[in-house]
Every structure is written in structure tokens, then in C-alpha cells.
Amino acid sequence: MNGTATLESVEYKHIQVRPIAGTMGAEIFGVDLAKLNDEVYDEFYNAWLRHQVVVLRDQDITPDQQVDFAMRLGGIHFHPYMNGMDNHPEILEIIKEPGDKYTFGSTWHTDQMFNPQPAKATMLYAKESPSTGGDTLFANMHDAYDALSDGMKTMLADVKTWCVGDKFRRSGGSRRKDRYQGNLKMAAKVRDAGNLQTESAHPLYRTHPETGRMALYLGNHVQTLEGFNDAEAEPILDFLREHAIRPEFTCRVNWKPGTITLWDNRSVQHHAIADYSERRRMHRITIAGDTPF
Ligand code: SIN
């Protein structure tokens, strides 16, 4: 679906949609990604644009099939400094073992926002999940934008954020870009996809390129507001960060092996909850996006 999509009064013939929260998010039934025809795909895509976070249960697909689905959704956004799987560099395998302290993605963020063309969407496929915990939270940045006062909308209408991918330094303080240079296989793919850049400016309020809706575009890569000094930018960003994740803007996804969730990074922030100690293993693909405007 290209251009501005019409999302009103859709009746689906092939899929069933069950919303999971008031603000956004839905479970979708009637989709088997192992045999996806064009009609079902079109309905699925429309439902995804409408609900922003969609959950498919009991999927059983190979890595090749996951990559094929990602290609259909817009192609691969190769991560500039994380290794993909040996035979499938498009897929990041995210594993947390019992006893691991670090939980990948456990801050509010929008994927690869430091890049000039951040990821359009993220597809996360649960291979192993804890018996309790390990859910992912999502926050609706359309509703967050809409709920701002006219004064805040006007004052910050043309402001850009400065987004940096090197904020969190865990490996001896080196820059992620430099660490990744050792990974020559990925280096070629990332370079070919034009994704090397880890610092970018983006509109604070962005327009969704397919639906035309406005969204607050925020995430943990945002360092400051361009043209503001820190003393000015920090309180504004503190307010916006807190505002963006108000409970009424959120939904929550619980994972079972076979669950696939696709979310729209152009209108959603997400946060992996670090509340479990059993093994969790996910296959993650980020979908190539456009320059935000
Ligand atoms: C991510 O931040 O992309 C991963 C979220 C998760 O593991 O739940």
C-alpha cells in the first residue's frame, strides 16, 4: 500500500481482528505466514497500518520465510553494529540466558532512530519465552501527539531532535561504529544498504508517510533538540518522554513460542520488560524505512 491509506470502515474477508487495548494493538487471526497469499497479505497490511502493533499467534516459519515476509513489507534495514545470524544476516537472534543481567531493548525507544532512514517496522518472532514475564510494552505516538496542547504543538512544530546511537557504551567505552568495523560480512551489507550512519537529525513531530497522521517521534536515541541549549531542551524532553508513555497510550504483548509481533516504528515506541529469569530467544528483523518528514 503506497501513499496515504484510507483506514476508515474496513471490512475484512479473510482475517479477524481483536484489539488488545483502547489506544492501539490487535491480535490478528486467519494469517498463516507459511502460506500467505496476496489477498490475505493486503488485509493484514491494512490492519497493521490501522492498529500499529499486530500480533500473530502459533506461527511456524523458517528463517527464509521470515526474510521473505520482511522483503514484502519493505526490505531489510541492516543494523550498523549488530551481527545477524550466521546463515541469515538479516535476522538478529536476541537471546537472554538465565542469569544474564542485560535485557536488550529495555528502555523506551524507536528502532534505529539514530540512522537517517530509521527502521519502518520491526518484526519479532518468539522462539523461546519465559513461563511468566518478558512481555513487551508499546506506546502510541499518534495519541501522544494528539493529546499535546495547541501551544506545545505550535511551539515545537519545526523543531528537530538530534539522535545518537552511541549513547549506551557497554564494551570498554568504544564507539559502536568502531566495534562493528571488525564484522566485515555485515559491514558490506550495511554499507550497501547505506545504513552506516549512527547520528541524525529528525523532526520531533513527524508525519506518517502512509496514513498522513502526525506522531511524536521520540526514543532513547534522542540526545537534545537542535537549536536549543541543554538547559532549555532537557525540561522539554523530560516532559515529552513522560507524556509519551502515559498508561492510556500503551498496550502490552505477551509472548509464547510462535508469536510474531509487527510494530510500526513511525508511530510507536516500545520497551522490553526485564522481569524474568528464564531463557528468552527471539528472531528480530527490522524493515527498511524512509527519511522522516
Ligand atoms: C527490541 O527492542 O527490538 C526488542 C524488544 C523485545 O525483545 O521485546
Side-chain angles (χ1 to χ4, degrees), residues 1-8 45-46 49 208-212:
M1 188 178 294
N2 293 317
T4 301
T6 305
L7 297 179
E8 288 82 38
Y45 195 87
N46 186 294
L49 282 182
H208 193 289
E210 294 184 87
T211 66

Side-chain angles (χ1 to χ4, degrees), residues 179-217:
R179 294 207 299 280
Y180 128 86
Q181 296 298 346
N183 178 7
L184 295 178
K185 194 170 66 175
M186 271 313 278
K189 285 206 173 285
V190 170
R191 190 189 52 239
D192 292 348
N195 285 348
L196 271 173
Q197 210 166 310
T198 55
E199 299 187 351
S200 305
H202 292 305
L204 174 65
Y205 301 149
R206 72 176 290 183
T207 308
H208 193 289
E210 294 184 87
T211 66
R213 285 189 74 185
M214 292 301 294
L216 175 59
Y217 193 38

Side-chain angles (χ1 to χ4, degrees), residues 1 3 14 24 53 58 69 101 156 181 185 199 237 242 247 278 280 283 286:
M1 188 178 294
H14 305 283
M24 65 167 180
V53 177
D58 302 319
F69 185 45
K101 297 247 177 319
L156 301 173
Q181 296 298 346
K185 194 170 66 175
E199 299 187 351
L237 284 171
E242 200 175 323
E278 292 165 79
R280 184 179 188 267
H283 282 186
T286 42

